[in-house]
Amino acid sequence: MRILLVGIIAAVLLGVLPDTGLSQESVEVFDANAATDAYLATFSGAEREASDAYFEGGYWLILWNMLYGLLVAATILGKKRSARIRDWCEARVNNKFVQTVIYGGIYTVFSFVLSLPISIYQGFFREHQYGLATQSFGPWFSEHLIGLGVGVIMGGLFIGIIYAVIRKTRDHWWIWASGVTIVFLMIGIMLSPVFIEPLFNEYTPLDDPAIEQPILQMARAANVGVDRVYVVDASEQSNRISANVSGFLATKRIALNDNLLNRGSLPEIKAVMGHEIGHYVLNHIYYMILELGLVFAAGFFFINWAYPRAREKWGDNWGIRDISDVAGLPLFSAVFSVYLFAMTPVMNTIIRVGESDADVYGLDAAREPDGFATIALKLGQYRKLEPGYLEEMILFDHPSGRTRIQMAMDWKAEHLDEIMASEDDIDLKERTEE
Ligand SMILES: [Zn+2]
C-alpha cells in the first residue's frame, strides 16, 4: 500500500500521470516571469546604458534645480533688489492688487533670466545629448519665450490673487490660498487645451479610421463622452512617444502624439489609449486636483511657519516686511521649493499610483498585453526600465518598464484561454478567407 502511494506521488512529480485540465496546460506553456525577463532582455547594451544615465541624471537635476532656485531667490532678495522693485510698483500704481500683479510679472521675468543657464542646459543641450530633441536652438528658445509670456500673465495674476487672499484672511491665509489654488488649477486645466496648448503644438483630428475606430470603441464602451481622437505634432519638439488626456468638462480631449502614431503598432496604440481612457473613467483629474490641493495646503502652512523665521535669520539686507509683503515673494517661493523638494516622493507616489491604476484599466480595456509590454519597452527610451524597489517608490512618477511589463504578462497569464481563443478565431478567419 505504502509502495503504491509512493509510486503515485513519484509519478505525479515526474509528470507520468496524464494531465487532466486544459488550464493547467496553459499555465505550463506561459510563464509570466520568464516572458517579462525575455522582453526586458531585448533592450540592452548601449541603448540601455543611455536610458539609465538619462533618467538617473534626472534625479540629480531635482536637487540642482532646487539649489539653483535658492540662489536665484537670494540674488533677487539681496541688496534690497526685490524691495526696490516693490517700491517702484507702489510709486506708480495705487491699487494694491495691481501692484502685486505687476511685481509678479517682473519677478517672473527676473527669475526666468537668472535661470537661463540651467534651463538651457536641461531643456536643450541635455535633451540633444541623449538624442531626444528634434528642435534647433532658435525654435526651442522662442517656445521658451512663449512659455515666459504665459508665465508672466498667469503667474502675475495668480500672485496678485494669492496676496489679496493673504491680506484679507491674515492668519488663516494658508487655508484660503489652498482653495484659491484649486480653483485656479481647475480653470487652468479647463482653458489649457483652448488657449495654452495651441501656442506650442497643433492638434488635428486623427483621420485614419483603422486607428481611430478601435480607440473610440474603447471610449464608447466606457461611456467617455469623446467622439474624436486628436493627433498632436509632438515631433516638432522631440521624438518621445506619448499620449495625453487634457482639459475637463467641455474641453476634455484625448490625443496621441505623432511619434506614437508613426512608430507604434495598432496593439501598442490601443494599449496606450486604453490607459488614457482609464484616466478619464477613474476621474483622475478630480483626485489629482484634490490631492494637489492638500499638498499645497500643507506647503502654505509650512511657508507660514518658515517665512518669518527665515526673514529673521537672514533678511537683514532684504528690506522685506511680513508675509503679506509681495517683495517677500522670492523668499515665499524659495521656502515652497524646499518643501516641494522634500515632498518629491509624495508627489511622485500620488501620480504613480494613478498611472498604475490607469495601466490596470488600460489592460482590461485594450486587451493587448503584448502591445502594452512593447510600448513600455519603447518608453525605456527616456525612462529607466529596471530600477530598485525604493528607487521606483521615491523617484518614479510612472511605473517602471519592468513593473508595467510584469503587470501585462501577469494579465496575459490570467487571460490565456481568451487570448488563444481569439487567435484561433483569427486563424479560422484567415483559413476561410484563403
Ligand atoms: Zn497616464
Side-chain angles (χ1 to χ4, degrees), residues 3 6 19 55 84 94 115 124 165 191 209 230 245 269 292 350 366 376 434:
I3 291 169
V6 172
D19 213 320
F55 202 78
R84 277 185 281 156
N94 277 327
S115 303
F124 183 77
V165 169
L191 298 185
Y230 289 84
V245 292
I269 293 174
L292 285 180
I350 288 176
E434 278 164 14

Side-chain angles (χ1 to χ4, degrees), residues 243 275-276 279 354-355 358-359 398 404:
H275 167 104
E276 300 300 339
H279 281 309
E355 293 300 330
D359 281 352
H398 279 66
R404 289 183 137 166

Side-chain angles (χ1 to χ4, degrees), residues 3-43:
I3 291 169
L4 186 68
L5 205 67
V6 172
I8 292 172
I9 293 169
V12 169
L13 287 176
L14 293 169
V16 175
L17 288 183
D19 213 320
T20 44
L22 238 177
S23 59
Q24 198 177 344
E25 188 186 38
S26 350
V27 171
E28 279 164 10
V29 170
F30 185 74
D31 178 341
N33 297 335
T36 304
D37 290 338
Y39 266 126
L40 287 163
T42 62
F43 194 105

Side-chain angles (χ1 to χ4, degrees), residues 114-174:
L114 290 171
S115 303
L116 277 179
I118 196 165
S119 55
I120 291 174
Y121 163 70
Q122 188 175 334
F124 183 77
F125 286 107
R126 187 166 182 270
E127 292 295 298
H128 275 278
Q129 188 189 338
Y130 286 97
L132 293 167
T134 54
Q135 238 172 350
S136 58
F137 189 77
W140 178 83
F141 193 69
S142 43
E143 283 184 2
H144 204 47
L145 285 177
I146 295 172
L148 170 66
V150 174
V152 168
I153 296 168
M154 302 290 283
L157 212 59
F158 181 65
I159 289 161
I161 294 171
I162 289 293
Y163 275 91
V165 169
I166 296 177
R167 285 194 305 274
K168 283 256 152 30
T169 60
R170 300 307 299 187
D171 288 350
H172 298 295
W173 71 267
W174 58 276

Side-chain angles (χ1 to χ4, degrees), residues 228-270:
R228 292 249 56 180
V229 176
Y230 289 84
V231 183
V232 50
D233 60 346
S235 61
E236 289 285 308
Q237 291 101 354
S238 88
N239 54 32
R240 291 169 187 240
I241 283 176
S242 177
N244 68 72
V245 292
S246 64
F248 86 115
L249 301 180
T251 66
K252 74 179 167 187
R253 110 179 135 189
I254 50 180
L256 67 160
N257 80 12
D258 54 353
N259 294 319
L260 172 61
L261 189 62
N262 296 332
R263 303 212 309 268
S265 65
L266 182 59
E268 287 175 342
I269 293 174
K270 277 182 71 182

